[in-house]
Amino acid sequence: MATQPDVIDMQIMWNRLVAVVGEQAQTLIRTAFSAIVRECEDISAGIFDLEGRMIAQAVTGTPGHVNSMAVSVGHFLRHFPLEDMKEGDAFITNDPWMGTGHLNDFVITTPAFYKGKVVALFSCTSHLMDIGGLGSGPEATDVFMEGLYIPMLKLFDQGKVNETLMAMIRANTRLPIDTEGDTYSLAACNEVGAKALVQMMEEFGIDDLTALSDYIIERSQTAVMENVAKLPQGSWSYSMMTDGFESPIELTGTLTISDSGIHMDYTGTSPLSGRGINVPLAYTTAYTVFGLGCVVASDIPNNAGSLAPLTVSAPENCILNALKPAPVASRHILGQMLPDVVYGCLRQAVPDLVPAEGTSCIWNITVRGRRTSGPDKGRNYALAITTNGGTGGRPGLDGLSATAFPSGVHGTPVEVAEILSPLMFRRKELRPDSAGDGASRGGFGQDMELINTEDSDFELLAAFDRVAFAPRGQLGGKDGAAGVVGLSSGRPLATKGTQVIRAGETLILSTPGGAGLGDPADRPQAARDADISAGLITAKGIAAE
């Protein structure tokens, strides 16, 4: 290869970097202990240049992790300057304001060396099931109640593990084996990424990534700005109500499209909650720019360049810009609603490009308890069984049923949940009549029934939404069905907070349906007949129309 790579070389190496971080991510998924990582891929993985700019990310992973991790590497560089880094070092934090928004996400950043010098940084994130405190529910009144708080620390010092830190981690979790294993899996995936990068650099005959990084970022930013230029300029506002904790929450945003890019401002949004549904700005930014990117950068790789034209602001200590020490454990509830607010603004400018409102926030069935029989008697269990509702109707396409958007995580297989706990699903199926009607109908939610097979109680750490305020139809479409949380006895449960499910009780959950888009009169009869034949629209549902 010539000393100065040409454009074709650059493009090939760019694609190779995507493969490198893909291998990094798959290592994390294959070696993780927690099912939410192994089965649901609740992770992020990426490579960064020496300025802390993300130049490639793995195609798997959640926007909340990826786009907030994109900022966290800059914080690592402030605490650990490049000139002080040594081969075998690795750094860790779960600081919600320098990481990915809550304590249950560990972020590990590792320098990659080639010919004795740092050439890049690999970073990764995954969700750990238990890091002490009250657990991953929203009941805490400050971040210190939410679990173990790890500041910016060295996890490895020239290959030697920080045994004191690992002892602290093991001592502050109900699942010490899983939590220790997940921490090492994060470190391992970065190491695999660094080795793959060295092989790539040797193969292509380059000693640093500066030219490639500049090419990727400049090319991506230019491509996004070209797409932004095709949109009408102006400002549009939209508001949406969500269930909240103590009281309903109003999410209000104003979107402005200009020559410099797209800016989303959340002035007018509700103030802080006293409970853990608050959102650090990094997480607010992560899901906002993801929503925007789906419209203006859907075919452009995600990196510092493609993210640069998309900016976000929110007043300090509104619920979308929570400052320390606000409780933030369930920041995903409101954070994952933000693409719907973005689309509410964009719909006024480009109505043919965005979907109706959907379930949006994932319905994690977060449970914990203690085994009372069998070979695991006396052992704690804790897991998040990831389930989802319907997405909103899309322009020219129906919404997706039981699908996580915008989070992108996979649903937890029933078999896995039943192996890892004494809980059993008596029922898990699509929820008829839950989709909002429209020219494009929304996606269907799910009906689920869950019991404990042992004669013992278990705890539900509820963090559900769209129960008081269902997804709203747009452009004449109908609303999706609201969610339901209750027991077989008929007693409703609170949608947020830890509650005990007594032995013999059946937990009943119905996830929301996505809203419809466009006039139902414009829906093709063949599509409606297909839903009726599949049993997704019943006679009751037809009468309701």
Side-chain angles (χ1 to χ4, degrees), residues 45 51 108 150-151 158 166 174 194 206 219 222-223 229 237 241 286 292 326 332 346 371 380 404 423 428 449 453:
E51 298 178 35
I108 293 182
I150 303 174
Q158 298 184 69
M166 290 307 303
R174 300 169 181 87
I206 57 175
R219 183 93 170 184
T222 298
S237 297
M241 299 300 296
L292 291 170
H332 71 280
L346 278 174
R371 294 271 195 173
N380 293 330
L423 307 183
K428 190 173 189 287
E449 296 181 6
T453 60

Side-chain angles (χ1 to χ4, degrees), residues 225-236 255-263 292 295-296 345-354:
M225 287 305 300
E226 288 174 353
N227 287 345
V228 171
K230 299 174 185 177
L231 302 176
Q233 294 192 359
S235 295
W236 300 269
L255 183 140
T256 300
I257 303 174
S258 67
D259 290 334
S260 59
I262 304 179
H263 182 74
L292 291 170
V295 175
V296 300
C345 295
L346 278 174
R347 189 175 298 108
Q348 300 167 62
V350 283
D352 295 334
L353 293 183
V354 297

Side-chain angles (χ1 to χ4, degrees), residues 203-434:
E203 181 178 333
F204 287 95
I206 57 175
D207 291 336
D208 66 64
L209 299 178
T210 303
L212 178 58
S213 175
D214 289 343
Y215 172 82
I216 290 171
I217 291 170
E218 292 169 8
R219 183 93 170 184
S220 300
Q221 184 167 350
T222 298
V224 171
M225 287 305 300
E226 288 174 353
N227 287 345
V228 171
K230 299 174 185 177
L231 302 176
Q233 294 192 359
S235 295
W236 300 269
S237 297
Y238 188 76
S239 292
M240 187 173 78
M241 299 300 296
T242 68
D243 299 1
F245 194 111
E246 310 98 316
S247 59
I249 298 297
E250 181 176 2
L251 302 176
T252 295
T254 298
L255 183 140
T256 300
I257 303 174
S258 67
D259 290 334
S260 59
I262 304 179
H263 182 74
M264 188 73 174
D265 176 68
Y266 288 104
T267 298
T269 288
S270 294
L272 285 182
S273 168
R275 302 292 181 146
I277 61 172
N278 301 296
V279 191
L281 185 60
Y283 196 81
T284 293
T285 300
Y287 270 104
T288 300
V289 299
F290 173 73
L292 291 170
C294 289
V295 175
V296 300
S298 60
D299 57 349
I300 301 167
N302 199 50
N303 54 59
S306 57
L307 293 173
L310 313 176
T311 56
V312 179
S313 62
E316 288 189 353
N317 280 328
C318 81
I319 203 166
L320 297 180
N321 186 5
L323 302 182
K324 186 179 178 180
V328 292
S330 295
R331 90 287 192 238
H332 71 280
I333 297 173
L334 296 182
Q336 292 173 7
M337 295 286 190
L338 298 181
D340 277 347
V341 182
V342 167
Y343 297 148
C345 295
L346 278 174
R347 189 175 298 108
Q348 300 167 62
V350 283
D352 295 334
L353 293 183
V354 297
E357 294 179 6
T359 302
S360 300
C361 72
I362 52 176
W363 272 49
N364 281 344
I365 310 173
T366 304
V367 293
R368 68 185 179 204
R370 184 182 294 270
R371 294 271 195 173
T372 59
S373 63
D376 292 328
K377 183 177 180 180
R379 180 176 294 181
N380 293 330
Y381 63 89
L383 69 157
I385 305 168
T386 300
T387 66
N388 307 290
T391 72
R394 299 167 290 172
L397 293 168
D398 291 339
L400 300 170
S401 300
T403 298
F405 178 86
S407 80
V409 297
H410 302 179
T412 304
V414 167
E415 297 84 355
V416 171
E418 293 178 347
I419 289 171
L420 296 176
S421 74
L423 307 183
M424 181 180 73
F425 280 88
R426 296 182 60 182
R427 182 185 183 203
K428 190 173 189 287
E429 60 191 23
L430 290 180
R431 180 185 179 189
D433 301 325
S434 59

